[in-house]
Amino acid sequence: MLGFRFFSCLFLFLLPVFLWSEPNPGQSEHPYGFYKGIFLLSGTTGNSFQTGGSLISREKEVQKNLKAESASGHTPLKLLGQDASPLLGLPNSQFSTPVSYRLFFEYGVTDKIGLGFAASSFSMDVTNNREYIDLSRLSPSQPNPTYVEALPYTKRFYNDKMYSLAVSFHPLSRSRIDPFVNLEAGIVQYTTSSRNIHPSTAFEPATSTGTGYGVRAGAGVNFFLTPEFGLQLEVSGQKKWLKSDIIGNTSLESVQIQMGFLFNFENIAKYSER
């Protein structure tokens, strides 16, 4: 979150500088913007403002079940393991704002179309309640009694890395202000600490590592401060289908905004030859 705020402040500070400066397309071999033969690398970070999917909904369902069973008295509710039950009920699961990072290397096949490779990461935490085995109630008639700890705890709920191939379209060639849209698809490697749906088996979240695949669509704009360097702002949506032997097949969806820097290595190489 701090990184995104830093980029936001930097972007707002620098935007008037290069928008109000005199545009200079330069020589034909050293232009601003996107064009055929460009080697463009961007690095961005940001936050998601919308998340969903079965991976999140099942975690919310577990918390809902724990709330219902503790409220009905079927499963005791304790505070710091003590028998004195709190007066207040359990809260809903609270998910932190997901943080994402992305590196994207793009080559200009034409003046408007680019092909590239992207590597990105996505992570978020969750705060909820845990179910424990109640040793004091352990007996032959109740081999697996449990209680719910009323004090919530926070853990890393999900983390992944996605490697994908992408195609992009840039309607304005050789322009200092370079809007674009892109589509990508790739492989996802992830780790999640997810609980089972039934509360009686939820006292130990299962750390699951698995693979899957994902798709992403984005739209944004590149602002070239110089022919070699610029800023990037992008809004994107993505969906991931995750596979695991422990938690089965799940999905994760997010909509996010990212900001960062970009480098035109074609022009950097030409500039160094001067």
Side-chain angles (χ1 to χ4, degrees):
M1 192 68 177
L2 292 176
F4 181 71
R5 289 177 179 174
F6 169 77
F7 282 124
S8 300
C9 294
L10 181 63
F11 173 77
L12 293 176
F13 175 77
L14 293 176
L15 180 60
V17 175
F18 66 85
L19 284 184
W20 296 341
S21 62
E22 181 68 23
N24 178 19
Q27 301 176 355
S28 60
E29 70 274 15
H30 198 67
Y32 283 99
F34 192 87
Y35 53 88
K36 182 178 180 180
I38 190 175
F39 289 93
L40 193 64
L41 176 67
S42 61
T44 56
T45 183
N47 303 112
S48 296
F49 53 87
Q50 180 66 41
T51 55
S54 60
L55 184 66
I56 290 179
S57 62
R58 67 180 289 160
E59 188 73 13
K60 291 180 177 180
E61 184 68 18
V62 170
Q63 189 72 5
K64 179 181 177 181
N65 290 345
L66 291 179
K67 290 177 64 176
E69 292 207 359
S70 62
S72 66
H74 181 270
T75 303
L77 183 65
K78 298 185 178 184
L79 181 62
L80 298 177
Q82 302 302 311
D83 291 334
S85 298
L87 297 177
L88 299 178
L90 300 181
N92 294 322
S93 292
Q94 301 293 325
F95 292 88
S96 68
T97 301
V99 178
S100 58
Y101 300 91
R102 183 171 182 262
L103 285 175
F104 180 44
F105 179 81
E106 184 177 9
Y107 173 74
V109 179
T110 71
D111 280 346
K112 296 183 181 296
I113 297 177
L115 296 177
F117 171 79
S120 60
S121 67
F122 182 95
S123 62
M124 61 179 165
D125 297 336
V126 67
T127 301
N128 51 29
N129 300 85
R130 179 173 289 181
E131 190 175 18
Y132 294 91
I133 294 179
D134 191 349
L135 296 178
S136 64
R137 298 170 59 216
L138 191 62
S139 66
S141 61
Q142 289 183 310
N144 293 304
T146 61
Y147 73 90
V148 179
E149 173 55 57
L151 188 67
Y153 73 106
T154 300
K155 69 177 185 295
R156 175 56 51 89
F157 175 66
Y158 180 84
N159 183 73
D160 76 20
K161 291 180 175 59
M162 180 173 171
Y163 306 95
S164 55
L165 298 177
V167 58
S168 61
F169 175 69
H170 301 254
L172 301 180
S173 303
R174 301 171 185 264
S175 172
R176 196 165 193 173
I177 301 177
D178 170 36
F180 64 87
V181 294
N182 58 42
L183 296 172
E184 65 182 67
I187 302 298
V188 178
Q189 297 178 338
Y190 76 94
T191 300
T192 183
S193 181
S194 179
R195 301 179 292 182
N196 293 321
I197 291 296
H198 195 279
S200 64
T201 60
F203 53 88
E204 280 299 331
T207 298
S208 174
T209 299
T211 59
Y213 60 95
V215 295
R216 180 182 186 273
V221 60
N222 295 326
F223 299 94
F224 283 87
L225 299 170
T226 71
E228 300 82 18
F229 174 77
L231 302 175
Q232 183 178 97
L233 177 67
E234 182 183 24
V235 177
S236 65
Q238 58 185 0
K239 183 168 184 177
K240 298 167 183 176
W241 293 267
L242 311 173
K243 300 179 180 180
S244 169
D245 294 336
I246 298 178
I247 63 173
N249 296 338
T250 57
S251 64
L252 180 66
E253 303 165 2
S254 66
V255 181
Q256 53 199 16
I257 181 169
Q258 291 181 293
M259 182 180 293
F261 300 106
L262 58 93
F263 301 90
N264 182 341
F265 284 103
E266 176 74 10
N267 283 342
I268 290 176
K270 290 180 179 179
Y271 183 85
S272 63
E273 293 173 357
R274 291 182 175 181

